[in-house]
Amino acid sequence: MSVSIDITGLPPERICVVPSPLAELGMALHALSEPGHHPGLRGWATSVAARLRPDLADRLCEADFLWRTTFSDVFAPFAGIPGGRAVPGATLAEELDLLDKLTDDEFVLVALEFTCQVQYDVETPSPLHDDAVRRRALELAAARGALQERFTRRLLQDPPVVRAWFRQLMEDCEEAFFAEIWERVRPQLAADARHKTELLRRKGLAEALAAVSPAVALDDEAAVITVDKLVVGRTATGDGGLVLVPTSLGWPHVMVLHRYGWQPAITYPVSGSGPQAPSVEQVGLRLEALAHPVRMQLCRHLARTPYTTSELADAQGMTAPEISRHLSVLKKAGLITTRRRGRYAQHQLELSAVVRLGSDFIEGVLR
């Protein structure tokens, strides 16, 4: 499954790589609420959680469905600005100002993403004006718990009050812990944005997207970007642009904004923020390769020392061509390496790939 972005007619100058303080704050909040997704940030999350004021911690619990299981588009308000050409602000205050420019209908829809609305990339009636949509939103919120239901009722009854409450919450987070984080990660994000921009200029979009993540690919002929995700979705840049948003705290998540009527955006982890995981297809190839009993036996041999095809054939009581076919599957999956030693080719298990297989699987499904 994947999300596709039709970029037909998109000129290079309308592709921007821009860090977003509001998106990075959202990532920080996600890491605080889901430390298991971000083992590299677990120490930081524990430290921050321990020193939060009780009132701020309570308000974060009240709103954590905006970033815990669904990363709400409230953290990407630039994409909702009419014209599809806006970019993230340089400061959190600037981005919150962009959020204030959204209509109440738009804010309500993005804040209710946690209700898992299935029509994310098609036009949806506003629950502020459509009774059936309103009832459905309340039902889905109630299914998520009492906090979500109370939040949804407050939001539907008085959007301006909730909008002011959310802005104050983000400002209090900046004062409590995010200003320090942003000061630390901003140079890395700026450097990555410059690097990707230079790749775009010198080598084109395909090379830049390849550097973004193995989950993102370009079909140049069809003028379509695909992002490997758990959902199927479609969007188009149209007369607008495409924004790539680097994150230092978001690894391993790669997110694509494809909301109806909004500018497409891809948020991706910068190089060095975590290991570069293979694609989900590659992880599947590895699991499938290891599922065969003969290939598992070959791996047991190759984990200890390099062997030639003939040696493996003798050990397994099989013919060399049969062993070669199994070795080909393992090699395609990136599980073995082959080296020449004079007249002979020796095969050995790539232990690092096997060691990472479990975490690769987890990172792939979390992406």
Side-chain angles (χ1 to χ4, degrees):
M1 293 187 286
S2 62
V3 174
S4 61
I5 305 173
D6 185 338
I7 59 169
T8 301
L10 178 67
E13 62 269 19
R14 293 215 304 264
I15 303 172
C16 301
V17 190
V18 186
S20 164
L22 183 55
E24 200 70 352
L25 174 53
M27 291 296 187
L29 292 171
H30 174 70
L32 281 173
S33 60
E34 289 286 2
H37 289 190
H38 307 271
L41 297 174
R42 188 168 293 167
W44 168 83
T46 301
S47 173
V48 170
R51 66 175 191 263
L52 283 179
R53 299 193 320 267
D55 67 300
L56 179 56
D58 288 344
R59 283 183 288 151
L60 288 176
C61 288
E62 189 176 351
D64 73 351
F65 40 81
L66 294 174
W67 54 76
R68 180 187 286 271
T69 56
T70 302
F71 195 80
S72 171
D73 289 339
V74 296
F75 295 102
F78 68 90
I81 302 300
R85 304 283 183 89
V87 297
T91 66
L92 184 65
E94 289 179 16
E95 295 223 84
L96 292 174
D97 288 344
L98 290 175
L99 186 61
D100 287 343
K101 291 182 179 181
L102 300 183
T103 67
D104 284 347
D105 290 315
E106 289 171 325
F107 183 87
V108 167
L109 283 173
V110 297
L112 291 181
E113 281 180 45
F114 70 89
T115 58
C116 295
Q117 53 183 356
V118 295
Q119 296 182 316
Y120 175 86
D121 55 359
V122 298
E123 189 170 11
T124 304
S126 170
L128 294 178
H129 308 292
D130 189 297
D131 290 340
V133 175
R134 183 187 187 92
R135 285 193 300 271
R136 181 60 175 160
L138 287 169
E139 289 171 4
L140 291 170
R144 290 295 187 93
L147 281 176
Q148 287 87 336
E149 183 180 15
R150 283 200 298 272
F151 177 88
T152 303
R153 289 190 182 279
R154 287 172 54 206
L155 180 64
L156 294 174
Q157 289 167 4
D158 200 341
V161 168
V162 175
R163 296 180 69 164
W165 177 88
F166 179 80
R167 177 165 185 145
Q168 186 62 57
L169 177 63
M170 296 299 101
E171 291 171 343
D172 289 348
C173 286
E174 181 179 35
E175 180 181 350
F177 62 87
F178 183 68
E180 177 185 348
I181 298 170
W182 183 245
E183 191 65 27
R184 174 170 56 84
V185 303
R186 182 174 53 182
Q188 181 190 27
L189 298 179
D192 187 87
R194 288 192 298 270
H195 172 63
K196 298 297 190 299
T197 301
E198 186 65 10
L199 274 178
L200 277 167
R201 186 183 68 82
R202 296 179 56 205
K203 297 188 176 181
L205 182 57
E207 288 282 346
L209 293 178
V212 161
S213 167
V216 186
L218 171 66
D219 183 335
D220 220 344
E221 187 175 340
V224 171
I225 297 171
T226 58
V227 185
D228 175 48
K229 296 298 292 180
L230 189 60
V231 298
V232 175
R234 295 176 180 81
T235 188
T237 52
D239 294 329
L242 172 68
V243 180
L244 305 178
V245 181
T247 171
S248 180
L249 304 177
W251 179 87
H253 305 300
V254 176
M255 294 176 295
V256 53
L257 192 160
H258 58 289
R259 175 176 294 280
Y260 176 85
W262 284 39
Q263 179 180 196
I266 299 172
T267 301
Y268 65 92
V270 299
S271 302
S273 60
Q276 186 68 290
S279 66
V280 173
E281 289 76 14
Q282 184 74 357
V283 174
L285 279 176
R286 292 178 178 178
L287 293 173
E288 185 179 350
L290 293 173
H292 196 287
V294 171
R295 293 195 283 270
M296 181 61 78
Q297 285 297 319
L298 293 177
C299 287
R300 296 185 69 181
H301 285 291
L302 298 173
R304 290 164 173 79
T305 188
Y307 283 95
T308 66
T309 302
S310 296
E311 288 172 327
L312 291 169
D314 289 340
Q316 292 294 115
M318 301 173 66
T319 67
E322 288 174 321
I323 293 295
S324 291
R325 284 194 291 271
H326 286 296
L327 291 174
S328 177
V329 174
L330 291 170
K331 192 166 187 177
K332 184 178 180 182
L335 293 172
I336 64 170
T337 57
T338 302
R339 292 183 179 179
R340 277 273 165 200
R341 290 292 184 268
R343 296 166 48 205
Y344 301 97
Q346 293 182 327
H347 314 287
Q348 189 164 22
L349 187 67
E350 185 63 62
L351 289 175
S352 61
V354 180
V355 167
R356 276 195 48 80
L357 189 54
S359 57
D360 284 345
F361 175 77
I362 293 170
E363 290 156 19
V365 297
L366 285 178
R367 191 157 54 210

CSV table of all heavy atoms in Angstrom, one decimal, residues 160-201:
chain,number,residue,atom,x,y,z
A,160,PRO,N,-13.2,28.3,18.7
A,160,PRO,CA,-12.2,29.3,19.1
A,160,PRO,C,-11.5,29.1,20.4
A,160,PRO,O,-10.3,29.4,20.6
A,160,PRO,CB,-13.0,30.6,19.0
A,160,PRO,CG,-14.1,30.3,18.1
A,160,PRO,CD,-14.5,28.9,18.3
A,161,VAL,N,-12.3,28.6,21.4
A,161,VAL,CA,-11.8,28.4,22.7
A,161,VAL,C,-10.7,27.3,22.7
A,161,VAL,O,-9.6,27.4,23.3
A,161,VAL,CB,-12.9,28.1,23.7
A,161,VAL,CG1,-12.3,27.6,25.0
A,161,VAL,CG2,-13.7,29.3,24.0
A,162,VAL,N,-11.0,26.2,22.0
A,162,VAL,CA,-10.1,25.1,21.9
A,162,VAL,C,-8.8,25.5,21.1
A,162,VAL,O,-7.7,25.1,21.4
A,162,VAL,CB,-10.8,23.9,21.2
A,162,VAL,CG1,-9.8,22.7,21.0
A,162,VAL,CG2,-11.9,23.4,22.1
A,163,ARG,N,-9.0,26.3,20.1
A,163,ARG,CA,-7.9,26.8,19.3
A,163,ARG,C,-6.9,27.6,20.2
A,163,ARG,O,-5.7,27.4,20.1
A,163,ARG,CB,-8.3,27.6,18.1
A,163,ARG,CG,-9.2,26.8,17.1
A,163,ARG,CD,-9.6,27.6,15.9
A,163,ARG,NE,-8.4,28.0,15.1
A,163,ARG,CZ,-8.6,28.4,13.8
A,163,ARG,NH1,-9.8,28.6,13.3
A,163,ARG,NH2,-7.5,28.7,13.1
A,164,ALA,N,-7.5,28.5,21.0
A,164,ALA,CA,-6.7,29.3,21.9
A,164,ALA,C,-6.0,28.4,22.9
A,164,ALA,O,-4.8,28.6,23.3
A,164,ALA,CB,-7.5,30.4,22.6
A,165,TRP,N,-6.7,27.4,23.4
A,165,TRP,CA,-6.2,26.5,24.4
A,165,TRP,C,-5.0,25.7,23.8
A,165,TRP,O,-3.9,25.5,24.4
A,165,TRP,CB,-7.3,25.5,24.8
A,165,TRP,CG,-6.9,24.4,25.7
A,165,TRP,CD1,-6.8,24.5,27.1
A,165,TRP,CD2,-6.4,23.1,25.4
A,165,TRP,NE1,-6.4,23.3,27.6
A,165,TRP,CE2,-6.2,22.4,26.6
A,165,TRP,CE3,-6.2,22.4,24.2
A,165,TRP,CZ2,-5.7,21.1,26.6
A,165,TRP,CZ3,-5.8,21.1,24.2
A,165,TRP,CH2,-5.5,20.4,25.4
A,166,PHE,N,-5.1,25.3,22.5
A,166,PHE,CA,-4.0,24.5,21.9
A,166,PHE,C,-2.8,25.4,21.6
A,166,PHE,O,-1.7,25.0,21.9
A,166,PHE,CB,-4.5,23.9,20.6
A,166,PHE,CG,-3.5,23.2,19.8
A,166,PHE,CD1,-3.2,21.9,20.2
A,166,PHE,CD2,-2.8,23.7,18.8
A,166,PHE,CE1,-2.2,21.1,19.5
A,166,PHE,CE2,-1.8,23.0,18.1
A,166,PHE,CZ,-1.5,21.7,18.5
A,167,ARG,N,-3.0,26.6,21.2
A,167,ARG,CA,-1.9,27.5,21.0
A,167,ARG,C,-1.1,27.8,22.3
A,167,ARG,O,0.1,27.7,22.3
A,167,ARG,CB,-2.4,28.9,20.4
A,167,ARG,CG,-1.2,29.8,20.2
A,167,ARG,CD,-1.5,31.0,19.4
A,167,ARG,NE,-0.2,31.8,19.2
A,167,ARG,CZ,0.1,32.4,18.1
A,167,ARG,NH1,-0.6,32.4,17.0
A,167,ARG,NH2,1.3,33.1,18.1
A,168,GLN,N,-1.9,28.0,23.4
A,168,GLN,CA,-1.2,28.2,24.7
A,168,GLN,C,-0.4,27.0,25.1
A,168,GLN,O,0.6,27.1,25.7
A,168,GLN,CB,-2.3,28.6,25.7
A,168,GLN,CG,-1.7,28.9,27.1
A,168,GLN,CD,-0.8,30.2,27.0
A,168,GLN,OE1,-1.3,31.2,26.5
A,168,GLN,NE2,0.5,30.1,27.4
A,169,LEU,N,-1.0,25.8,24.8
A,169,LEU,CA,-0.3,24.5,25.1
A,169,LEU,C,1.0,24.4,24.4
A,169,LEU,O,2.0,24.1,25.0
A,169,LEU,CB,-1.2,23.3,24.8
A,169,LEU,CG,-0.6,22.0,25.0
A,169,LEU,CD1,-0.3,21.7,26.5
A,169,LEU,CD2,-1.6,20.9,24.5
A,170,MET,N,1.0,24.7,23.1
A,170,MET,CA,2.3,24.7,22.3
A,170,MET,C,3.3,25.7,22.8
A,170,MET,O,4.5,25.4,22.9
A,170,MET,CB,2.0,24.9,20.9
A,170,MET,CG,1.1,23.9,20.2
A,170,MET,SD,1.8,22.2,20.2
A,170,MET,CE,0.9,21.4,21.6
A,171,GLU,N,2.8,26.9,23.2
A,171,GLU,CA,3.7,27.9,23.7
A,171,GLU,C,4.3,27.5,25.1
A,171,GLU,O,5.5,27.8,25.3
A,171,GLU,CB,3.0,29.3,23.8
A,171,GLU,CG,2.6,29.9,22.5
A,171,GLU,CD,1.7,31.1,22.6
A,171,GLU,OE1,1.1,31.3,23.6
A,171,GLU,OE2,1.6,31.8,21.6
A,172,ASP,N,3.5,26.9,25.9
A,172,ASP,CA,4.0,26.4,27.2
A,172,ASP,C,5.0,25.3,27.0
A,172,ASP,O,6.0,25.2,27.8
A,172,ASP,CB,2.8,25.9,28.1
A,172,ASP,CG,2.0,27.1,28.5
A,172,ASP,OD1,2.4,28.3,28.4
A,172,ASP,OD2,0.9,26.8,29.0
A,173,CYS,N,4.8,24.4,26.0
A,173,CYS,CA,5.8,23.4,25.7
A,173,CYS,C,7.1,24.0,25.2
A,173,CYS,O,8.2,23.5,25.6
A,173,CYS,CB,5.3,22.5,24.6
A,173,CYS,SG,4.0,21.3,25.2
A,174,GLU,N,7.0,25.1,24.5
A,174,GLU,CA,8.2,25.7,24.0
A,174,GLU,C,9.0,26.2,25.2
A,174,GLU,O,10.3,26.1,25.3
A,174,GLU,CB,7.9,26.9,23.1
A,174,GLU,CG,9.2,27.6,22.5
A,174,GLU,CD,8.9,28.7,21.6
A,174,GLU,OE1,7.8,29.4,21.8
A,174,GLU,OE2,9.6,28.9,20.6
A,175,GLU,N,8.3,26.9,26.1
A,175,GLU,CA,9.0,27.4,27.3
A,175,GLU,C,9.6,26.3,28.2
A,175,GLU,O,10.7,26.4,28.7
A,175,GLU,CB,8.0,28.3,28.1
A,175,GLU,CG,8.6,28.9,29.3
A,175,GLU,CD,7.6,29.7,30.1
A,175,GLU,OE1,6.5,30.0,29.6
A,175,GLU,OE2,8.0,30.1,31.2
A,176,ALA,N,8.8,25.2,28.3
A,176,ALA,CA,9.2,24.1,29.3
A,176,ALA,C,10.4,23.3,28.8
A,176,ALA,O,11.3,22.9,29.5
A,176,ALA,CB,8.0,23.2,29.6
A,177,PHE,N,10.4,23.0,27.5
A,177,PHE,CA,11.4,22.1,27.0
A,177,PHE,C,11.8,22.2,25.5
A,177,PHE,O,12.9,21.9,25.1
A,177,PHE,CB,11.1,20.6,27.2
A,177,PHE,CG,9.8,20.1,26.5
A,177,PHE,CD1,9.9,19.6,25.2
A,177,PHE,CD2,8.6,20.2,27.1
A,177,PHE,CE1,8.8,19.2,24.5
A,177,PHE,CE2,7.4,19.8,26.4
A,177,PHE,CZ,7.5,19.3,25.1
A,178,PHE,N,10.9,22.8,24.7
A,178,PHE,CA,11.1,22.7,23.2
A,178,PHE,C,12.2,23.7,22.8
A,178,PHE,O,12.9,23.4,21.8
A,178,PHE,CB,9.8,22.8,22.4
A,178,PHE,CG,10.1,22.7,21.0
A,178,PHE,CD1,10.5,21.5,20.4
A,178,PHE,CD2,9.9,23.8,20.1
A,178,PHE,CE1,10.7,21.3,19.1
A,178,PHE,CE2,10.2,23.6,18.8
A,178,PHE,CZ,10.6,22.4,18.2
A,179,ALA,N,12.2,24.9,23.4
A,179,ALA,CA,13.2,25.9,22.9
A,179,ALA,C,14.6,25.4,23.0
A,179,ALA,O,15.4,25.6,22.0
A,179,ALA,CB,13.0,27.2,23.8
A,180,GLU,N,14.9,24.6,24.0
A,180,GLU,CA,16.2,24.0,24.1
A,180,GLU,C,16.5,23.0,23.0
A,180,GLU,O,17.5,22.9,22.4
A,180,GLU,CB,16.3,23.4,25.5
A,180,GLU,CG,17.7,22.7,25.8
A,180,GLU,CD,17.7,22.0,27.1
A,180,GLU,OE1,16.8,22.2,27.9
A,180,GLU,OE2,18.6,21.1,27.3
A,181,ILE,N,15.5,22.2,22.8
A,181,ILE,CA,15.6,21.1,21.7
A,181,ILE,C,15.8,21.8,20.4
A,181,ILE,O,16.6,21.4,19.6
A,181,ILE,CB,14.3,20.2,21.7
A,181,ILE,CG1,14.2,19.5,23.0
A,181,ILE,CG2,14.4,19.2,20.5
A,181,ILE,CD1,12.9,18.8,23.1
A,182,TRP,N,15.0,22.8,20.1
A,182,TRP,CA,15.0,23.4,18.7
A,182,TRP,C,16.4,24.0,18.5
A,182,TRP,O,16.9,24.0,17.4
A,182,TRP,CB,13.9,24.4,18.6
A,182,TRP,CG,13.8,25.1,17.2
A,182,TRP,CD1,14.0,26.4,16.9
A,182,TRP,CD2,13.6,24.4,16.0
A,182,TRP,NE1,13.9,26.6,15.6
A,182,TRP,CE2,13.6,25.4,15.0
A,182,TRP,CE3,13.3,23.1,15.6
A,182,TRP,CZ2,13.4,25.1,13.6
A,182,TRP,CZ3,13.1,22.8,14.3
A,182,TRP,CH2,13.2,23.8,13.3
A,183,GLU,N,16.9,24.7,19.5
A,183,GLU,CA,18.2,25.3,19.4
A,183,GLU,C,19.3,24.2,19.1
A,183,GLU,O,20.2,24.5,18.3
A,183,GLU,CB,18.6,26.0,20.7
A,183,GLU,CG,19.8,26.9,20.6
A,183,GLU,CD,19.6,28.0,19.7
A,183,GLU,OE1,18.5,28.5,19.5
A,183,GLU,OE2,20.7,28.5,19.1
A,184,ARG,N,19.1,23.0,19.6
A,184,ARG,CA,20.1,21.9,19.4
A,184,ARG,C,19.9,21.3,18.0
A,184,ARG,O,20.9,21.0,17.3
A,184,ARG,CB,19.9,20.9,20.5
A,184,ARG,CG,20.8,19.6,20.2
A,184,ARG,CD,20.8,18.7,21.5
A,184,ARG,NE,19.4,18.4,21.9
A,184,ARG,CZ,18.8,17.3,21.3
A,184,ARG,NH1,19.3,16.6,20.4
A,184,ARG,NH2,17.6,17.0,21.8
A,185,VAL,N,18.7,21.1,17.5
A,185,VAL,CA,18.5,20.3,16.3
A,185,VAL,C,18.4,21.2,15.0
A,185,VAL,O,18.6,20.8,13.9
A,185,VAL,CB,17.2,19.5,16.3
A,185,VAL,CG1,17.3,18.5,17.5
A,185,VAL,CG2,15.9,20.3,16.4
A,186,ARG,N,18.2,22.5,15.2
A,186,ARG,CA,18.0,23.4,14.1
A,186,ARG,C,19.2,23.4,13.1
A,186,ARG,O,19.0,23.3,11.9
A,186,ARG,CB,17.7,24.8,14.6
A,186,ARG,CG,17.4,25.8,13.4
A,186,ARG,CD,17.0,27.2,14.0
A,186,ARG,NE,17.9,27.7,15.0
A,186,ARG,CZ,17.8,28.8,15.6
A,186,ARG,NH1,16.7,29.6,15.4
A,186,ARG,NH2,18.7,29.2,16.5
A,187,PRO,N,20.4,23.5,13.6
A,187,PRO,CA,21.6,23.4,12.7
A,187,PRO,C,21.6,22.2,11.8
A,187,PRO,O,21.9,22.2,10.6
A,187,PRO,CB,22.8,23.5,13.6
A,187,PRO,CG,22.3,24.2,14.8
A,187,PRO,CD,20.9,23.7,15.0
A,188,GLN,N,21.3,21.0,12.4
A,188,GLN,CA,21.3,19.7,11.7
A,188,GLN,C,20.2,19.8,10.6
A,188,GLN,O,20.4,19.3,9.5
A,188,GLN,CB,21.1,18.6,12.6
A,188,GLN,CG,21.0,17.2,11.9
A,188,GLN,CD,20.6,16.1,12.9
A,188,GLN,OE1,19.9,16.3,13.8
A,188,GLN,NE2,21.0,14.9,12.6
A,189,LEU,N,19.0,20.3,11.0
A,189,LEU,CA,17.9,20.3,10.0
A,189,LEU,C,18.2,21.3,8.9
A,189,LEU,O,17.9,21.0,7.7
A,189,LEU,CB,16.6,20.7,10.7
A,189,LEU,CG,16.1,19.8,11.8
A,189,LEU,CD1,14.8,20.3,12.4
A,189,LEU,CD2,15.9,18.4,11.3
A,190,ALA,N,18.8,22.4,9.2
A,190,ALA,CA,19.2,23.4,8.2
A,190,ALA,C,20.2,22.8,7.2
A,190,ALA,O,20.1,23.0,6.0
A,190,ALA,CB,19.7,24.7,8.8
A,191,ALA,N,21.2,22.1,7.8
A,191,ALA,CA,22.2,21.5,6.9
A,191,ALA,C,21.6,20.4,6.0
A,191,ALA,O,22.0,20.3,4.8
A,191,ALA,CB,23.3,20.9,7.8
A,192,ASP,N,20.7,19.6,6.5
A,192,ASP,CA,20.1,18.6,5.7
A,192,ASP,C,19.2,19.3,4.6
A,192,ASP,O,19.2,18.8,3.5
A,192,ASP,CB,19.2,17.7,6.6
A,192,ASP,CG,18.6,16.5,5.8
A,192,ASP,OD1,19.3,15.5,5.7
A,192,ASP,OD2,17.5,16.7,5.2
A,193,ALA,N,18.5,20.4,4.9
A,193,ALA,CA,17.7,21.1,3.9
A,193,ALA,C,18.6,21.6,2.8
A,193,ALA,O,18.2,21.5,1.6
A,193,ALA,CB,16.9,22.2,4.6
A,194,ARG,N,19.7,22.2,3.2
A,194,ARG,CA,20.7,22.7,2.2
A,194,ARG,C,21.2,21.5,1.3
A,194,ARG,O,21.3,21.7,0.0
A,194,ARG,CB,21.9,23.4,2.8
A,194,ARG,CG,21.5,24.7,3.4
A,194,ARG,CD,22.8,25.5,3.8
A,194,ARG,NE,23.6,24.8,4.8
A,194,ARG,CZ,23.4,25.0,6.1
A,194,ARG,NH1,22.5,25.8,6.6
A,194,ARG,NH2,24.2,24.3,6.9
A,195,HIS,N,21.5,20.4,1.9
A,195,HIS,CA,22.0,19.2,1.1
A,195,HIS,C,21.0,18.7,0.2
A,195,HIS,O,21.3,18.5,-1.0
A,195,HIS,CB,22.4,18.1,2.1
A,195,HIS,CG,22.8,16.8,1.4
A,195,HIS,ND1,23.8,16.7,0.6
A,195,HIS,CD2,22.2,15.6,1.5
A,195,HIS,CE1,23.9,15.5,0.1
A,195,HIS,NE2,22.9,14.8,0.7
A,196,LYS,N,19.7,18.6,0.6
A,196,LYS,CA,18.7,18.1,-0.3
A,196,LYS,C,18.3,19.1,-1.4
A,196,LYS,O,18.1,18.7,-2.5
A,196,LYS,CB,17.4,17.8,0.5
A,196,LYS,CG,17.5,16.7,1.6
A,196,LYS,CD,17.9,15.3,1.0
A,196,LYS,CE,17.8,14.2,2.1
A,196,LYS,NZ,18.7,14.4,3.2
A,197,THR,N,18.4,20.4,-1.1
A,197,THR,CA,18.2,21.4,-2.1
A,197,THR,C,19.2,21.3,-3.1
A,197,THR,O,19.0,21.5,-4.3
A,197,THR,CB,18.1,22.8,-1.4
A,197,THR,OG1,17.1,22.8,-0.4
A,197,THR,CG2,17.9,23.9,-2.4
A,198,GLU,N,20.5,21.1,-2.7
A,198,GLU,CA,21.6,21.0,-3.7
A,198,GLU,C,21.4,19.7,-4.5
A,198,GLU,O,21.7,19.8,-5.8
A,198,GLU,CB,22.9,21.0,-2.9
A,198,GLU,CG,24.1,21.0,-3.8
A,198,GLU,CD,24.3,22.3,-4.6
A,198,GLU,OE1,23.5,23.3,-4.3
A,198,GLU,OE2,25.1,22.4,-5.5
A,199,LEU,N,21.0,18.7,-3.9
A,199,LEU,CA,20.7,17.4,-4.7
A,199,LEU,C,19.6,17.7,-5.8
A,199,LEU,O,19.7,17.3,-6.9
A,199,LEU,CB,20.3,16.3,-3.8
A,199,LEU,CG,21.4,15.5,-3.1
A,199,LEU,CD1,20.7,14.4,-2.2
A,199,LEU,CD2,22.2,14.8,-4.2
A,200,LEU,N,18.6,18.4,-5.4
A,200,LEU,CA,17.5,18.7,-6.3
A,200,LEU,C,18.1,19.5,-7.5
A,200,LEU,O,17.7,19.3,-8.6
A,200,LEU,CB,16.4,19.6,-5.6
A,200,LEU,CG,15.4,18.8,-4.8
A,200,LEU,CD1,14.6,19.8,-3.9
A,200,LEU,CD2,14.4,18.1,-5.7
A,201,ARG,N,18.9,20.5,-7.2
A,201,ARG,CA,19.4,21.4,-8.2
A,201,ARG,C,20.4,20.7,-9.1
A,201,ARG,O,20.3,20.8,-10.4
A,201,ARG,CB,20.1,22.6,-7.5
A,201,ARG,CG,20.6,23.7,-8.5
A,201,ARG,CD,21.4,24.8,-7.8
A,201,ARG,NE,22.6,24.3,-7.3
A,201,ARG,CZ,23.7,24.2,-8.1
A,201,ARG,NH1,23.7,24.5,-9.4
A,201,ARG,NH2,24.9,23.8,-7.5
